[in-house]
Amino acid sequence: MATSYETRYASSPEAVKKYDTTELRNEFLIDNLMQKGKINLIYTHYDRYIAGSVVPESPLKLETIDPLKAEFFLERRELGIINVGDSGSVEVDGTTYDLGHKDALYIGSGAQEVIFKSDDTSKPAKFYLNSAPAHTSYPTKKVSLEQANKIELGSLETANHRTVSQMIIGGVVTTCQLQMGMTELKTGSVWNTMPAHVHDRRMEVYFYLDVPEGQSVCHFMGQPQETRHIWMQNHQAVVSPPWSIHCGSGTSNYTFIWGMAGENLDYNDMDVAKITELK
């Protein structure tokens, strides 16, 4: 079977305070992504969010999984896809969408057949997936990196000069609750999402990419006065609960994809934690 999945249950901040390194990684780190010929999914109980990957050698069809209790995967869900590999395509109910490196695709609820393909199996596409429950159906839409809404943040002086590309977000794509985008750090900058923040109205998942060989990213999480860290490698993801900060610092510059869902679609709805007050 090409599809495998794992269920992750929600953890309270009081419980996480007592986790050791292994427990913390088991609960929040996703380290089985981008396996050739496989669809790997993590079903979290934070807003019923799913994060996963598809690396097709031959065409791979997105099948439903048992926790959804649905006839097909997108019966009551929407899906965001960003290709972080070589060129490929996604066929949605007979319509094919070509996705180059770092192109995105939004698929609305109700699409019954989703098939992933690589243009060249020796250099496969690597599709990163995020999915959230959806109350209605919106049109499928491709968004290239050039079409994204871009925001310049930070500075080289504070080691956090970065470009935020909002790709699957209001104003670019109409969705029920899913939001996705990509943040690329400039050469010489290593800090992402600093000052850190929490947003109790929605959860988030970070997927790190473009991490050079031999380098790592230290991802910070936890309540602002009770932080923890997880060391991460290229093509790993981390689940961020609504009560947790989510930021990181790398030993080199890198890129990460953020995806989130929850109570609202206000990207700027966040509670900032002052840098000097983090503990």
Side-chain angles (χ1 to χ4, degrees), residues 101-174:
H101 186 60
K102 295 184 177 177
D103 285 345
L105 181 68
Y106 170 79
I107 306 175
S109 174
Q112 295 191 33
E113 188 173 68
V114 180
I115 301 173
F116 298 87
K117 302 175 183 178
S118 294
D119 289 353
D120 182 347
T121 56
S122 67
K123 297 184 292 183
K126 296 178 179 179
F127 299 106
Y128 175 62
L129 314 182
N130 281 187
S131 176
H135 62 274
T136 191
S137 179
Y138 289 112
T140 297
K141 183 178 180 179
K142 174 185 172 179
V143 181
S144 68
L145 190 60
E146 291 72 27
Q147 293 171 317
N149 181 43
K150 296 186 182 297
I151 304 171
E152 294 288 327
L153 295 174
S155 67
L156 187 58
E157 287 75 17
T158 50
N160 65 354
H161 187 197
R162 59 200 189 274
T163 301
V164 178
S165 296
Q166 298 175 327
M167 303 183 78
I168 299 175
I169 196 169
V172 180
V173 179
T174 302

Side-chain angles (χ1 to χ4, degrees), residues 18 30 61 76 91 94 102 115 155 162 181 221 225 238 243 250 254:
K18 302 176 180 66
I30 303 174
K61 181 179 178 181
R76 298 183 299 272
E91 182 181 319
K102 295 184 177 177
I115 301 173
S155 67
R162 59 200 189 274
M221 62 165 296
Q225 280 71 54
V238 61
W243 46 262
Y254 52 90

Side-chain angles (χ1 to χ4, degrees), residues 37-74:
K38 293 184 179 181
I39 299 176
N40 286 330
L41 304 171
I42 299 294
Y43 178 91
T44 83
H45 280 250
Y46 294 108
D47 290 295
R48 307 288 171 169
Y49 204 83
I50 293 176
S53 64
V54 184
V55 184
E57 293 182 303
S58 58
L60 290 175
K61 181 179 178 181
L62 184 63
E63 305 279 4
T64 189
I65 56 176
D66 186 65
L68 303 184
K69 305 300 181 186
E71 292 186 13
F72 52 95
F73 190 92
L74 294 177

